[in-house]
Amino acid sequence: MLYLRLLKESFLFAWQAIVTNKLRTFLSLLGVMVGIFVITCVFTLVDSMEDNLKSTFSIINDDVLFVQIMPWGPEADGEYKWWEYFQRLQPTIRDKDALEERMVNAAAVAFQTGTMGRAERGSNTMESAQIAGVSKDYEKCITINIDQGRYITDIEFQGGRPVAVIGADVADMLFPNGNAIGNDMKVKGLKVTVVGTFKREGVSLFSDGFDQIVMLPAKFSNRIINVRNADASILVKAGEGVSMDMLKDEVIQNFRSVRKVRPKEDNDFAVNQMDSLTAFLDSIFASLEIGGWFIGGFAILVGCFSIANIMFVSVRERTRIIGIQKALGSKNAFILGQFLFESIALCVFGALMALGLIWIVILIVNLADIGFTLGMHFNRFFIAMVIAVVSGLIAGIAPAVKAARMDPVEAMRG
């Protein structure tokens, strides 16, 4: 009962301080509020970017390697020699075929390349469609979601038939009446027949998914895509029970043979996997979080001084009340806890105000539909509350100790 009474009275004192001196209290809480707002905003932005990126990469299976000219992050020596990577030759479909013949531990080997170009049908035109050329078994390496029609068949891949699977945006723009399947369209001047459409994935800040894509058999797309000047990849999916390290070693060994790289020469290609990209992105997000802590920490420090100042004022204003409480038998711990709780309550009010502002920002951004969805994880709310409590303890300890050590007689005289 004593502790409940302590909590109740301390809360009432804190609330009275806020209501009685609104401007002074608001200015005192501003530092803590800004600090928690900055830190939580950075956390929210980082978490949202990570979630959006993971949803973008969700179509890529974790057991797939990508043979490309450029690595997805710094190599083992910590350097990123982009000027050397640009001089490498892009993988070709012949390289893919030669690698596939040598692989033992691969469940599937596929090729992909792409460029931007015009897609049209009659008077309907899409100037910047994403034109992709892929080979057989591509759907085994990348998640494919067909909405209408079908995917490209093995015979169409092998024969380089002029067929296409198009994204939802392409279908809406070129076939507004919804009759895409079985009809013809032109891709960079060449006629192709639409055999299927992809499910709509929605636009994000990082990718449009397959919504604006025109997917063609690679043996046909080489008529409109210059593979030497376009980004290309060979995708290798691990067989059942094969570790990624084992598969990577086999890919490097065999592709060096395909490229005729001499034993003492460095690889003229890179073998990428999702784990390395995820680790690289995690390091970037960690740096952003550290920056948020650094900037927000200064604001919280200023806020702690402000809270300490208002608590010293509160102690001075309630000196007579403290003397009466001690004269009636209140222990020093009671007085100490009363002011500490008041300080914590003030900081918690500031944290709740900051979180309220963040929720307003999240609501505005999500309603604006800019292709980037914000969301705050529950653990970030918990961290904000912990920061508020710790800030309240730090800011209130000196005023609380001063109040607890007051002589009751001198306090009542004061």
Side-chain angles (χ1 to χ4, degrees):
M1 292 298 294
L2 180 61
Y3 291 106
L4 291 176
R5 179 187 170 192
L6 170 63
L7 293 176
K8 180 181 178 181
E9 290 186 1
S10 300
F11 179 82
L12 291 176
F13 278 129
W15 180 253
Q16 183 179 4
I18 292 174
V19 173
T20 305
N21 305 287
K22 297 181 180 66
L23 181 60
R24 184 185 71 182
T25 303
F26 175 75
L27 293 176
S28 300
L29 295 180
L30 194 59
V32 173
M33 184 177 71
V34 170
I36 293 177
F37 179 82
V38 170
I39 292 176
T40 310
C41 267
V42 171
F43 287 162
T44 300
L45 182 61
V46 170
D47 291 340
S48 300
M49 290 175 62
E50 189 171 1
D51 292 341
N52 278 264
L53 278 173
K54 286 181 178 179
S55 65
T56 301
F57 297 141
S58 61
I59 63 173
I60 303 175
N61 298 327
D62 294 334
D63 58 350
V64 175
L65 296 177
F66 292 77
V67 182
Q68 300 170 305
I69 63 169
M70 303 183 72
W72 288 349
E75 296 187 310
D77 57 2
E79 294 188 54
Y80 194 82
K81 304 175 183 178
W82 56 269
W83 58 92
E84 294 183 5
Y85 305 147
F86 274 116
Q87 300 176 18
R88 294 173 174 176
L89 295 177
Q90 291 282 355
T92 65
I93 195 166
R94 289 184 179 180
D95 292 338
K96 171 259 177 189
D97 293 337
L99 178 63
E100 188 173 15
E101 291 176 358
R102 291 169 167 79
M103 293 299 297
V104 176
N105 295 314
V109 180
F111 174 81
Q112 70 173 10
T113 186
T115 187
M116 306 292 288
R118 171 186 284 190
E120 57 186 325
R121 179 179 181 268
S123 60
N124 299 322
T125 303
M126 187 173 189
E127 293 291 344
S128 57
Q130 300 172 6
I131 303 171
V134 302
S135 70
K136 175 178 171 293
D137 290 339
Y138 180 77
E139 75 282 1
K140 295 180 181 179
C141 303
I142 301 294
T143 302
I144 299 293
N145 295 312
I146 299 295
D147 184 27
Q148 296 179 357
R150 59 175 175 82
Y151 188 59
I152 305 170
T153 65
D154 291 349
I155 294 176
E156 291 167 338
F157 276 124
Q158 295 296 334
R161 303 282 180 84
V163 296
V165 182
I166 61 177
D169 288 348
V170 181
D172 291 344
M173 187 167 293
L174 302 188
F175 301 91
N177 297 325
N179 56 344
I181 307 303
N183 286 311
D184 296 335
M185 58 178 284
K186 287 186 178 181
V187 183
K188 298 186 77 171
L190 295 182
K191 186 172 69 173
V192 297
T193 302
V194 179
V195 297
T197 60
F198 292 110
K199 287 184 178 180
R200 184 177 298 279
E201 297 181 356
V203 178
S204 72
L205 188 65
F206 305 100
S207 172
D208 296 329
F210 285 160
D211 289 349
Q212 298 184 8
I213 201 169
V214 178
M215 187 173 289
L216 308 167
K219 290 184 178 180
F220 174 80
S221 68
N222 60 15
R223 298 169 60 184
I224 56 178
I225 300 176
N226 186 347
V227 178
R228 295 299 182 185
N229 296 327
D231 288 333
S233 307
I234 297 175
L235 289 66
V236 184
K237 181 179 175 63
E240 186 176 355
V242 178
S243 68
M244 296 304 292
D245 290 337
M246 182 187 300
L247 182 68
K248 187 173 184 178
D249 290 341
E250 185 182 9
V251 168
I252 293 174
Q253 179 182 352
N254 289 325
F255 204 65
R256 284 177 64 90
S257 176
V258 171
R259 284 289 183 87
K260 296 180 173 56
V261 179
R262 296 178 181 179
K264 293 184 179 181
E265 294 179 345
D266 294 333
N267 296 335
D268 62 349
F269 58 91
V271 181
N272 298 310
Q273 63 185 98
M274 285 301 300
D275 289 346
S276 61
L277 179 60
T278 302
F280 178 65
L281 293 175
D282 286 344
S283 65
I284 295 177
F285 293 143
S287 299
L288 291 175
E289 286 197 13
I290 292 174
W293 278 108
F294 184 77
I295 297 172
F298 279 105
I300 290 176
L301 184 62
V302 173
C304 286
F305 282 111
S306 299
I307 296 296
N309 178 66
I310 195 175
M311 291 307 301
F312 276 118
V313 173
S314 181
V315 170
R316 186 168 63 250
E317 291 177 345
R318 287 157 38 198
T319 299
R320 188 182 298 272
I321 298 175
I322 295 170
I324 294 173
Q325 287 179 334
K326 299 193 76 172
L328 294 175
S330 296
K331 303 293 185 181
N332 289 346
F334 180 85
I335 305 298
L336 183 72
Q338 176 178 297
F339 282 92
L340 281 179
F341 184 83
E342 182 176 339
S343 176
I344 293 172
L346 290 172
C347 289
V348 169
F349 289 147
L352 292 176
M353 292 169 64
L355 292 173
L357 287 176
I358 290 174
W359 280 114
I360 293 174
V361 171
I362 291 174
L363 181 62
I364 292 173
V365 171
N366 291 342
L367 288 176
D369 192 20
I370 61 174
F372 182 75
T373 303
L374 281 178
M376 186 172 67
H377 295 179
F378 177 76
N379 65 318
R380 301 308 190 186
F381 176 85
F382 178 75
I383 290 174
M385 290 296 102
V386 171
I387 293 173
V389 171
V390 173
S391 300
L393 285 172
I394 294 174
I397 188 67
V401 169
K402 179 180 178 181
R405 290 179 176 177
M406 282 186 178
D407 180 83
V409 176
E410 293 298 328
M412 285 188 292
R413 286 178 180 175

